[in-house]
Amino acid sequence: MRLFILGATGRTGRELVDIALARGHQVTAFVRSPAKITRRDPRLALVEGDPLGVEELSSALPGHDAVISALGPLPRQAMTRTTLLEESASSAMTALPRAGVRRFLIVSSALLFPGGGPVAALLRLMLRPHFRDLKAMENRVRAAAIDWTIARPPRLVAATDERYRAEPGALPAGANLVSSVLSWRAVAAFLLDAAEGSRHLREVVGICR
Ligand SMILES: NC(=O)c1ccc[n+]([C@@H]2O[C@H](COP(=O)([O-])OP(=O)(O)OC[C@H]3O[C@@H](n4cnc5c(N)ncnc54)[C@H](OP(=O)(O)O)[C@@H]3O)[C@@H](O)[C@H]2O)c1
């Protein structure tokens, strides 16, 4: 596939690039700082651009089979003020149809599932700007007439395993919103599996280890 990745310099994004190349895909990493990516591969194209820029996206997107977004705000912004996810989703939802790309996959958060008790409530409060932004982002994506998939993982951890379980509409059985975890690499594996297999079209999917 020809994959277009947003957030390719981040922790999920780097794993996306790594697994996608290992699986033989053509990858375009659309990033604001190409110098942050030192990897070189004939199937990896580095394109400098702003994921909020509709015109830049529209001209870089044609010819791709799917867009995968793993953008995320800095921790400080997540607690103070951020509209990164809503604005980038809004730009993507305008640019994809213009460029004739139908498939869009994006990382959200399991905190948007109800429940989780007082600890989850506290997290939602502490991360209120990010929580609002995630909800607004999902609303933009869900309203778009494209084949979207929204992945909602719990807390992410560094590990090399690609193991995940996935359940549309909820975290998989036995998972706990506060104590369950998933590796950044497994989030990437889930998104790539869904893109390759045309799975979870127009679904919000809970994923965990
Ligand atoms: N961390 C967790 O435990 C957790 C749990 C559940 C869900 N999530 C979600 O998972 C997503 C990805 O997380 P992650 O940990 O992989 O993210 P990350 O490592 O912090 O990477 C964030 C990416 O977003 C880009 N970015 C940030 N601000 C930007 C801006 N203003 N303009 C353009 N690009 C910008 C960064 O690019 P630069 O390198 O150029 O800064 C980077 O590529 C996030 O949306 C987060 O909500 C995280």
Side-chain angles (χ1 to χ4, degrees):
M1 298 179 79
R2 289 197 62 193
L3 302 171
F4 190 94
I5 298 179
L6 298 170
T9 53
R11 288 164 294 187
T12 310
R14 284 195 298 269
E15 302 291 359
L16 276 167
V17 171
D18 190 50
I19 303 176
L21 290 174
R23 292 187 186 182
H25 298 298
Q26 297 279 343
V27 177
T28 300
F30 187 84
V31 291
R32 55 180 175 173
S33 314
K36 281 192 177 178
I37 299 183
T38 51
R39 180 167 187 159
R40 293 292 172 266
D41 189 294
R43 283 181 287 106
L44 173 63
L46 301 180
V47 176
E48 183 171 347
D50 177 2
L52 276 52
V54 175
E55 299 307 324
E56 289 174 59
L57 281 172
S58 301
S59 57
L61 274 172
H64 290 85
D65 301 305
V67 176
I68 306 181
S69 176
L71 291 167
L74 295 170
R76 184 175 39 80
Q77 292 168 337
M79 287 192 275
T80 53
R81 187 183 177 282
T82 178
T83 52
L84 170 68
L85 297 180
E86 181 187 12
E87 286 185 58
S88 56
S90 174
S91 298
M93 294 309 94
T94 303
L96 261 79
R98 275 195 200 174
V101 181
R102 276 206 64 79
R103 190 74 172 105
F104 183 76
L105 305 97
I106 191 163
V107 187
S108 179
S109 166
L111 275 181
L112 269 64
F113 287 129
V119 177
L122 183 62
L123 282 172
R124 291 185 192 107
L125 191 66
M126 284 168 55
L127 298 171
R128 196 161 41 194
H130 182 44
F131 187 60
R132 272 204 212 108
D133 192 30
L134 283 163
K135 280 204 238 179
M137 172 276 278
E138 286 203 3
N139 288 338
R140 296 271 180 182
V141 173
R142 293 164 78 140
I146 56 163
D147 293 331
W148 52 264
T149 298
I150 294 172
R152 288 184 179 177
R155 188 165 58 87
L156 300 177
V157 294
T160 52
D161 70 282
E162 297 179 15
R163 272 181 303 129
Y164 67 82
R165 295 182 296 134
E167 173 85 27
L171 274 179
N176 179 295
L177 214 157
V178 175
S179 57
S180 292
V181 297
L182 188 66
S183 71
W184 275 287
R185 193 163 177 89
V187 177
F190 166 78
L191 293 165
L192 288 164
D193 289 345
E196 291 166 355
S198 295
R199 288 205 286 273
H200 301 299
L201 301 183
R202 301 184 72 80
E203 283 184 349
V204 174
V205 186
I207 50 173
C208 69
R209 188 175 268 169

